mmCIF file of all heavy atoms in Angstrom:
data_model
loop_
_atom_site.group_PDB
_atom_site.id
_atom_site.type_symbol
_atom_site.label_atom_id
_atom_site.label_comp_id
_atom_site.label_asym_id
_atom_site.label_seq_id
_atom_site.Cartn_x
_atom_site.Cartn_y
_atom_site.Cartn_z
ATOM 1 N N ILE A 1 -14.098 -23.338 -2.727
ATOM 2 C CA ILE A 1 -13.790 -22.162 -3.546
ATOM 3 C C ILE A 1 -14.189 -20.881 -2.831
ATOM 4 O O ILE A 1 -13.443 -19.897 -2.793
ATOM 5 C CB ILE A 1 -14.488 -22.280 -4.917
ATOM 6 C CG1 ILE A 1 -13.857 -23.414 -5.734
ATOM 7 C CG2 ILE A 1 -14.396 -20.970 -5.680
ATOM 8 C CD1 ILE A 1 -14.553 -23.688 -7.037
ATOM 9 N N VAL A 2 -15.385 -20.894 -2.219
ATOM 10 C CA VAL A 2 -15.850 -19.693 -1.515
ATOM 11 C C VAL A 2 -14.949 -19.381 -0.328
ATOM 12 O O VAL A 2 -14.538 -18.225 -0.116
ATOM 13 C CB VAL A 2 -17.316 -19.874 -1.068
ATOM 14 C CG1 VAL A 2 -17.731 -18.726 -0.153
ATOM 15 C CG2 VAL A 2 -18.231 -19.957 -2.282
ATOM 16 N N VAL A 3 -14.625 -20.400 0.464
ATOM 17 C CA VAL A 3 -13.763 -20.178 1.636
ATOM 18 C C VAL A 3 -12.369 -19.731 1.198
ATOM 19 O O VAL A 3 -11.768 -18.832 1.803
ATOM 20 C CB VAL A 3 -13.697 -21.454 2.499
ATOM 21 C CG1 VAL A 3 -12.648 -21.310 3.586
ATOM 22 C CG2 VAL A 3 -15.056 -21.752 3.103
ATOM 23 N N GLY A 4 -11.849 -20.339 0.124
ATOM 24 C CA GLY A 4 -10.535 -19.950 -0.366
ATOM 25 C C GLY A 4 -10.501 -18.511 -0.847
ATOM 26 O O GLY A 4 -9.556 -17.769 -0.560
ATOM 27 N N CYS A 5 -11.529 -18.108 -1.582
ATOM 28 C CA CYS A 5 -11.593 -16.722 -2.055
ATOM 29 C C CYS A 5 -11.729 -15.748 -0.894
ATOM 30 O O CYS A 5 -11.092 -14.687 -0.878
ATOM 31 C CB CYS A 5 -12.750 -16.553 -3.034
ATOM 32 S SG CYS A 5 -12.523 -17.412 -4.609
ATOM 33 N N ALA A 6 -12.560 -16.092 0.094
ATOM 34 C CA ALA A 6 -12.730 -15.209 1.247
ATOM 35 C C ALA A 6 -11.434 -15.079 2.049
ATOM 36 O O ALA A 6 -11.048 -13.974 2.450
ATOM 37 C CB ALA A 6 -13.859 -15.730 2.137
ATOM 38 N N ALA A 7 -10.750 -16.205 2.266
ATOM 39 C CA ALA A 7 -9.487 -16.156 3.009
ATOM 40 C C ALA A 7 -8.430 -15.358 2.249
ATOM 41 O O ALA A 7 -7.687 -14.571 2.845
ATOM 42 C CB ALA A 7 -8.988 -17.574 3.284
ATOM 43 N N SER A 8 -8.368 -15.552 0.930
ATOM 44 C CA SER A 8 -7.411 -14.794 0.122
ATOM 45 C C SER A 8 -7.703 -13.304 0.180
ATOM 46 O O SER A 8 -6.789 -12.478 0.283
ATOM 47 C CB SER A 8 -7.444 -15.283 -1.325
ATOM 48 O OG SER A 8 -7.124 -16.660 -1.411
ATOM 49 N N LEU A 9 -8.977 -12.960 0.143
ATOM 50 C CA LEU A 9 -9.348 -11.539 0.199
ATOM 51 C C LEU A 9 -8.983 -10.933 1.552
ATOM 52 O O LEU A 9 -8.470 -9.811 1.619
ATOM 53 C CB LEU A 9 -10.846 -11.392 -0.057
ATOM 54 C CG LEU A 9 -11.388 -9.954 -0.119
ATOM 55 C CD1 LEU A 9 -10.743 -9.198 -1.281
ATOM 56 C CD2 LEU A 9 -12.898 -9.954 -0.265
ATOM 57 N N MET A 10 -9.212 -11.684 2.630
ATOM 58 C CA MET A 10 -8.887 -11.169 3.956
ATOM 59 C C MET A 10 -7.386 -10.989 4.154
ATOM 60 O O MET A 10 -6.953 -10.159 4.951
ATOM 61 C CB MET A 10 -9.457 -12.098 5.033
ATOM 62 C CG MET A 10 -10.968 -12.009 5.175
ATOM 63 S SD MET A 10 -11.593 -12.930 6.597
ATOM 64 C CE MET A 10 -11.304 -14.611 6.059
ATOM 65 N N VAL A 11 -6.587 -11.763 3.445
ATOM 66 C CA VAL A 11 -5.133 -11.636 3.566
ATOM 67 C C VAL A 11 -4.588 -10.602 2.591
ATOM 68 O O VAL A 11 -3.778 -9.745 2.955
ATOM 69 C CB VAL A 11 -4.458 -13.003 3.334
ATOM 70 C CG1 VAL A 11 -2.944 -12.851 3.261
ATOM 71 C CG2 VAL A 11 -4.838 -13.984 4.436
ATOM 72 N N LEU A 12 -5.020 -10.677 1.335
ATOM 73 C CA LEU A 12 -4.437 -9.828 0.303
ATOM 74 C C LEU A 12 -4.885 -8.380 0.390
ATOM 75 O O LEU A 12 -4.118 -7.471 0.058
ATOM 76 C CB LEU A 12 -4.776 -10.401 -1.079
ATOM 77 C CG LEU A 12 -4.193 -11.772 -1.399
ATOM 78 C CD1 LEU A 12 -4.644 -12.244 -2.762
ATOM 79 C CD2 LEU A 12 -2.671 -11.742 -1.330
ATOM 80 N N TRP A 13 -6.125 -8.128 0.823
ATOM 81 C CA TRP A 13 -6.613 -6.748 0.866
ATOM 82 C C TRP A 13 -5.820 -5.893 1.863
ATOM 83 O O TRP A 13 -5.383 -4.796 1.502
ATOM 84 C CB TRP A 13 -8.101 -6.725 1.193
ATOM 85 C CG TRP A 13 -8.662 -5.337 1.247
ATOM 86 C CD1 TRP A 13 -8.962 -4.600 2.359
ATOM 87 C CD2 TRP A 13 -8.957 -4.499 0.131
ATOM 88 N NE1 TRP A 13 -9.430 -3.370 2.018
ATOM 89 C CE2 TRP A 13 -9.443 -3.273 0.648
ATOM 90 C CE3 TRP A 13 -8.871 -4.659 -1.247
ATOM 91 C CZ2 TRP A 13 -9.829 -2.218 -0.163
ATOM 92 C CZ3 TRP A 13 -9.265 -3.609 -2.066
ATOM 93 C CH2 TRP A 13 -9.736 -2.411 -1.520
ATOM 94 N N PRO A 14 -5.585 -6.343 3.105
ATOM 95 C CA PRO A 14 -4.755 -5.523 4.004
ATOM 96 C C PRO A 14 -3.320 -5.354 3.498
ATOM 97 O O PRO A 14 -2.726 -4.287 3.659
ATOM 98 C CB PRO A 14 -4.794 -6.293 5.333
ATOM 99 C CG PRO A 14 -6.013 -7.135 5.258
ATOM 100 C CD PRO A 14 -6.164 -7.498 3.818
ATOM 101 N N VAL A 15 -2.766 -6.407 2.894
ATOM 102 C CA VAL A 15 -1.400 -6.290 2.369
ATOM 103 C C VAL A 15 -1.349 -5.272 1.241
ATOM 104 O O VAL A 15 -0.439 -4.432 1.165
ATOM 105 C CB VAL A 15 -0.895 -7.673 1.898
ATOM 106 C CG1 VAL A 15 0.439 -7.542 1.179
ATOM 107 C CG2 VAL A 15 -0.767 -8.616 3.078
ATOM 108 N N ALA A 16 -2.322 -5.332 0.344
ATOM 109 C CA ALA A 16 -2.362 -4.369 -0.759
ATOM 110 C C ALA A 16 -2.548 -2.946 -0.238
ATOM 111 O O ALA A 16 -1.916 -1.999 -0.744
ATOM 112 C CB ALA A 16 -3.481 -4.740 -1.726
ATOM 113 N N THR A 17 -3.392 -2.769 0.784
ATOM 114 C CA THR A 17 -3.575 -1.445 1.372
ATOM 115 C C THR A 17 -2.283 -0.938 2.003
ATOM 116 O O THR A 17 -1.926 0.245 1.871
ATOM 117 C CB THR A 17 -4.684 -1.496 2.428
ATOM 118 O OG1 THR A 17 -5.883 -2.007 1.839
ATOM 119 C CG2 THR A 17 -4.959 -0.121 3.008
ATOM 120 N N LEU A 18 -1.566 -1.827 2.675
ATOM 121 C CA LEU A 18 -0.300 -1.443 3.300
ATOM 122 C C LEU A 18 0.731 -1.040 2.256
ATOM 123 O O LEU A 18 1.424 -0.022 2.405
ATOM 124 C CB LEU A 18 0.222 -2.602 4.153
ATOM 125 C CG LEU A 18 1.529 -2.365 4.898
ATOM 126 C CD1 LEU A 18 1.349 -1.285 5.955
ATOM 127 C CD2 LEU A 18 2.005 -3.658 5.545
ATOM 128 N N ILE A 19 0.851 -1.816 1.181
ATOM 129 C CA ILE A 19 1.811 -1.489 0.125
ATOM 130 C C ILE A 19 1.439 -0.176 -0.552
ATOM 131 O O ILE A 19 2.305 0.677 -0.814
ATOM 132 C CB ILE A 19 1.888 -2.644 -0.891
ATOM 133 C CG1 ILE A 19 2.469 -3.890 -0.223
ATOM 134 C CG2 ILE A 19 2.733 -2.242 -2.101
ATOM 135 C CD1 ILE A 19 2.456 -5.114 -1.107
ATOM 136 N N HIS A 20 0.150 0.019 -0.822
ATOM 137 C CA HIS A 20 -0.291 1.262 -1.460
ATOM 138 C C HIS A 20 0.015 2.467 -0.572
ATOM 139 O O HIS A 20 0.478 3.516 -1.046
ATOM 140 C CB HIS A 20 -1.782 1.192 -1.767
ATOM 141 C CG HIS A 20 -2.316 2.440 -2.402
ATOM 142 N ND1 HIS A 20 -2.883 3.468 -1.651
ATOM 143 C CD2 HIS A 20 -2.357 2.851 -3.696
ATOM 144 C CE1 HIS A 20 -3.249 4.444 -2.457
ATOM 145 N NE2 HIS A 20 -2.952 4.094 -3.709
ATOM 146 N N GLY A 21 -0.221 2.350 0.718
ATOM 147 C CA GLY A 21 0.067 3.450 1.623
ATOM 148 C C GLY A 21 1.548 3.749 1.750
ATOM 149 O O GLY A 21 1.944 4.891 2.001
ATOM 150 N N SER A 22 2.385 2.709 1.578
ATOM 151 C CA SER A 22 3.826 2.917 1.727
ATOM 152 C C SER A 22 4.446 3.642 0.541
ATOM 153 O O SER A 22 5.510 4.254 0.673
ATOM 154 C CB SER A 22 4.528 1.579 1.941
ATOM 155 O OG SER A 22 4.472 0.790 0.762
ATOM 156 N N VAL A 23 3.811 3.579 -0.628
ATOM 157 C CA VAL A 23 4.387 4.213 -1.821
ATOM 158 C C VAL A 23 3.612 5.454 -2.244
ATOM 159 O O VAL A 23 3.947 6.072 -3.257
ATOM 160 C CB VAL A 23 4.440 3.221 -3.003
ATOM 161 C CG1 VAL A 23 5.361 2.057 -2.686
ATOM 162 C CG2 VAL A 23 3.047 2.724 -3.363
ATOM 163 N N SER A 24 2.586 5.844 -1.509
ATOM 164 C CA SER A 24 1.792 7.014 -1.881
ATOM 165 C C SER A 24 2.122 8.182 -0.965
ATOM 166 O O SER A 24 2.245 8.022 0.253
ATOM 167 C CB SER A 24 0.302 6.686 -1.807
ATOM 168 O OG SER A 24 -0.053 6.270 -0.501
ATOM 169 N N LEU A 25 2.293 9.351 -1.562
ATOM 170 C CA LEU A 25 2.592 10.575 -0.841
ATOM 171 C C LEU A 25 1.636 11.671 -1.294
ATOM 172 O O LEU A 25 1.132 11.642 -2.420
ATOM 173 C CB LEU A 25 4.036 11.020 -1.082
ATOM 174 C CG LEU A 25 5.152 10.086 -0.595
ATOM 175 C CD1 LEU A 25 6.497 10.597 -1.073
ATOM 176 C CD2 LEU A 25 5.137 9.973 0.921
ATOM 177 N N GLU A 26 1.425 12.651 -0.434
ATOM 178 C CA GLU A 26 0.578 13.785 -0.779
ATOM 179 C C GLU A 26 1.466 14.951 -1.213
ATOM 180 O O GLU A 26 2.384 15.351 -0.489
ATOM 181 C CB GLU A 26 -0.270 14.192 0.426
ATOM 182 C CG GLU A 26 -1.273 15.291 0.122
ATOM 183 C CD GLU A 26 -2.172 15.601 1.301
ATOM 184 O OE1 GLU A 26 -2.128 14.832 2.289
ATOM 185 O OE2 GLU A 26 -2.907 16.604 1.240
ATOM 186 N N ASP A 27 1.208 15.462 -2.398
ATOM 187 C CA ASP A 27 2.029 16.563 -2.903
ATOM 188 C C ASP A 27 1.524 17.900 -2.358
ATOM 189 O O ASP A 27 0.582 17.965 -1.557
ATOM 190 C CB ASP A 27 2.047 16.568 -4.432
ATOM 191 C CG ASP A 27 0.648 16.710 -5.027
ATOM 192 O OD1 ASP A 27 -0.297 16.985 -4.254
ATOM 193 O OD2 ASP A 27 0.514 16.535 -6.255
ATOM 194 N N ALA A 28 2.170 18.993 -2.788
ATOM 195 C CA ALA A 28 1.837 20.325 -2.272
ATOM 196 C C ALA A 28 0.412 20.737 -2.623
ATOM 197 O O ALA A 28 -0.236 21.471 -1.878
ATOM 198 C CB ALA A 28 2.830 21.366 -2.809
ATOM 199 N N GLY A 29 -0.095 20.266 -3.745
ATOM 200 C CA GLY A 29 -1.438 20.628 -4.163
ATOM 201 C C GLY A 29 -2.527 19.769 -3.569
ATOM 202 O O GLY A 29 -3.705 19.928 -3.916
ATOM 203 N N GLY A 30 -2.176 18.845 -2.686
ATOM 204 C CA GLY A 30 -3.171 17.973 -2.078
ATOM 205 C C GLY A 30 -3.454 16.723 -2.881
ATOM 206 O O GLY A 30 -4.304 15.927 -2.492
ATOM 207 N N GLY A 31 -2.757 16.543 -4.002
ATOM 208 C CA GLY A 31 -2.945 15.346 -4.810
ATOM 209 C C GLY A 31 -2.089 14.185 -4.307
ATOM 210 O O GLY A 31 -1.298 14.313 -3.372
ATOM 211 N N MET A 32 -2.274 13.049 -4.938
ATOM 212 C CA MET A 32 -1.568 11.834 -4.544
ATOM 213 C C MET A 32 -0.511 11.509 -5.587
ATOM 214 O O MET A 32 -0.794 11.474 -6.787
ATOM 215 C CB MET A 32 -2.549 10.672 -4.417
ATOM 216 C CG MET A 32 -1.947 9.425 -3.792
ATOM 217 S SD MET A 32 -1.598 9.613 -2.031
ATOM 218 C CE MET A 32 -3.257 9.794 -1.377
ATOM 219 N N VAL A 33 0.718 11.297 -5.132
ATOM 220 C CA VAL A 33 1.817 10.886 -6.013
ATOM 221 C C VAL A 33 2.416 9.611 -5.443
ATOM 222 O O VAL A 33 2.306 9.324 -4.243
ATOM 223 C CB VAL A 33 2.890 11.987 -6.129
ATOM 224 C CG1 VAL A 33 2.331 13.219 -6.811
ATOM 225 C CG2 VAL A 33 3.472 12.326 -4.765
ATOM 226 N N TYR A 34 3.065 8.841 -6.301
ATOM 227 C CA TYR A 34 3.681 7.591 -5.897
ATOM 228 C C TYR A 34 5.196 7.751 -5.911
ATOM 229 O O TYR A 34 5.772 8.260 -6.874
ATOM 230 C CB TYR A 34 3.245 6.456 -6.815
ATOM 231 C CG TYR A 34 1.764 6.164 -6.721
ATOM 232 C CD1 TYR A 34 0.870 6.677 -7.655
ATOM 233 C CD2 TYR A 34 1.270 5.400 -5.669
ATOM 234 C CE1 TYR A 34 -0.485 6.424 -7.556
ATOM 235 C CE2 TYR A 34 -0.092 5.148 -5.553
ATOM 236 C CZ TYR A 34 -0.962 5.658 -6.504
ATOM 237 O OH TYR A 34 -2.306 5.411 -6.395
ATOM 238 N N SER A 35 5.823 7.302 -4.830
ATOM 239 C CA SER A 35 7.263 7.461 -4.690
ATOM 240 C C SER A 35 7.793 6.421 -3.709
ATOM 241 O O SER A 35 7.042 5.890 -2.872
ATOM 242 C CB SER A 35 7.603 8.876 -4.203
ATOM 243 O OG SER A 35 8.967 8.980 -3.879
ATOM 244 N N LEU A 36 9.082 6.148 -3.807
ATOM 245 C CA LEU A 36 9.760 5.246 -2.870
ATOM 246 C C LEU A 36 10.472 6.022 -1.767
ATOM 247 O O LEU A 36 11.366 5.491 -1.108
ATOM 248 C CB LEU A 36 10.759 4.364 -3.628
ATOM 249 C CG LEU A 36 10.165 3.416 -4.671
ATOM 250 C CD1 LEU A 36 11.275 2.658 -5.387
ATOM 251 C CD2 LEU A 36 9.182 2.446 -4.034
ATOM 252 N N GLU A 37 10.082 7.255 -1.552
ATOM 253 C CA GLU A 37 10.748 8.110 -0.571
ATOM 254 C C GLU A 37 10.613 7.554 0.845
ATOM 255 O O GLU A 37 11.538 7.666 1.658
ATOM 256 C CB GLU A 37 10.173 9.520 -0.646
ATOM 257 C CG GLU A 37 10.870 10.528 0.260
ATOM 258 C CD GLU A 37 10.285 11.926 0.118
ATOM 259 O OE1 GLU A 37 9.594 12.175 -0.895
ATOM 260 O OE2 GLU A 37 10.525 12.744 1.019
ATOM 261 N N ASN A 38 9.470 6.951 1.146
ATOM 262 C CA ASN A 38 9.289 6.379 2.482
ATOM 263 C C ASN A 38 10.296 5.272 2.755
ATOM 264 O O ASN A 38 10.850 5.176 3.859
ATOM 265 C CB ASN A 38 7.862 5.838 2.633
ATOM 266 C CG ASN A 38 6.831 6.941 2.666
ATOM 267 O OD1 ASN A 38 7.108 8.044 3.116
ATOM 268 N ND2 ASN A 38 5.637 6.662 2.166
ATOM 269 N N TYR A 39 10.542 4.426 1.765
ATOM 270 C CA TYR A 39 11.518 3.348 1.930
ATOM 271 C C TYR A 39 12.925 3.919 2.076
ATOM 272 O O TYR A 39 13.738 3.398 2.863
ATOM 273 C CB TYR A 39 11.446 2.397 0.742
ATOM 274 C CG TYR A 39 10.190 1.570 0.704
ATOM 275 C CD1 TYR A 39 9.101 1.966 -0.067
ATOM 276 C CD2 TYR A 39 10.072 0.413 1.450
ATOM 277 C CE1 TYR A 39 7.930 1.218 -0.101
ATOM 278 C CE2 TYR A 39 8.922 -0.345 1.423
ATOM 279 C CZ TYR A 39 7.847 0.065 0.652
ATOM 280 O OH TYR A 39 6.698 -0.681 0.627
ATOM 281 N N ALA A 40 13.232 4.970 1.325
ATOM 282 C CA ALA A 40 14.546 5.594 1.447
ATOM 283 C C ALA A 40 14.744 6.190 2.836
ATOM 284 O O ALA A 40 15.840 6.101 3.419
ATOM 285 C CB ALA A 40 14.713 6.669 0.370
ATOM 286 N N ASP A 41 13.696 6.802 3.388
ATOM 287 C CA ASP A 41 13.794 7.362 4.739
ATOM 288 C C ASP A 41 14.038 6.272 5.780
ATOM 289 O O ASP A 41 14.837 6.443 6.710
ATOM 290 C CB ASP A 41 12.522 8.131 5.079
ATOM 291 C CG ASP A 41 12.379 9.412 4.264
ATOM 292 O OD1 ASP A 41 13.406 9.875 3.726
ATOM 293 O OD2 ASP A 41 11.246 9.925 4.153
ATOM 294 N N ILE A 42 13.346 5.154 5.614
ATOM 295 C CA ILE A 42 13.505 4.061 6.582
ATOM 296 C C ILE A 42 14.913 3.482 6.510
ATOM 297 O O ILE A 42 15.589 3.294 7.527
ATOM 298 C CB ILE A 42 12.444 2.968 6.325
ATOM 299 C CG1 ILE A 42 11.062 3.492 6.719
ATOM 300 C CG2 ILE A 42 12.773 1.701 7.103
ATOM 301 C CD1 ILE A 42 9.949 2.530 6.401
ATOM 302 N N LEU A 43 15.376 3.187 5.302
ATOM 303 C CA LEU A 43 16.702 2.583 5.163
ATOM 304 C C LEU A 43 17.812 3.572 5.494
ATOM 305 O O LEU A 43 18.936 3.164 5.780
ATOM 306 C CB LEU A 43 16.872 2.054 3.734
ATOM 307 C CG LEU A 43 15.934 0.910 3.350
ATOM 308 C CD1 LEU A 43 16.136 0.514 1.905
ATOM 309 C CD2 LEU A 43 16.147 -0.289 4.269
ATOM 310 N N GLY A 44 17.527 4.855 5.443
ATOM 311 C CA GLY A 44 18.530 5.850 5.806
ATOM 312 C C GLY A 44 18.682 6.045 7.295
ATOM 313 O O GLY A 44 19.648 6.680 7.737
#
């Protein structure tokens, strides 16, 4: 159980960080907003 939880954390945490970074943008006021604009730019 301990090894399984540790392995899952080592895999899921970087993936979650990557997904969060891909959908988060900084607005004009310095705040954080969520958008799919990055995916649209890539596919365009």
Side-chain angles (χ1 to χ4, degrees):
I1 292 175
V2 171
V3 171
C5 292
S8 301
L9 184 62
M10 287 188 290
V11 172
L12 296 178
W13 180 257
V15 172
T17 304
L18 181 66
I19 294 174
H20 179 267
S22 68
V23 296
S24 59
L25 297 173
E26 185 176 350
D27 59 10
M32 190 70 66
V33 295
Y34 295 98
S35 171
L36 297 177
E37 185 178 342
N38 291 330
Y39 290 96
D41 291 341
I42 290 175
L43 295 177

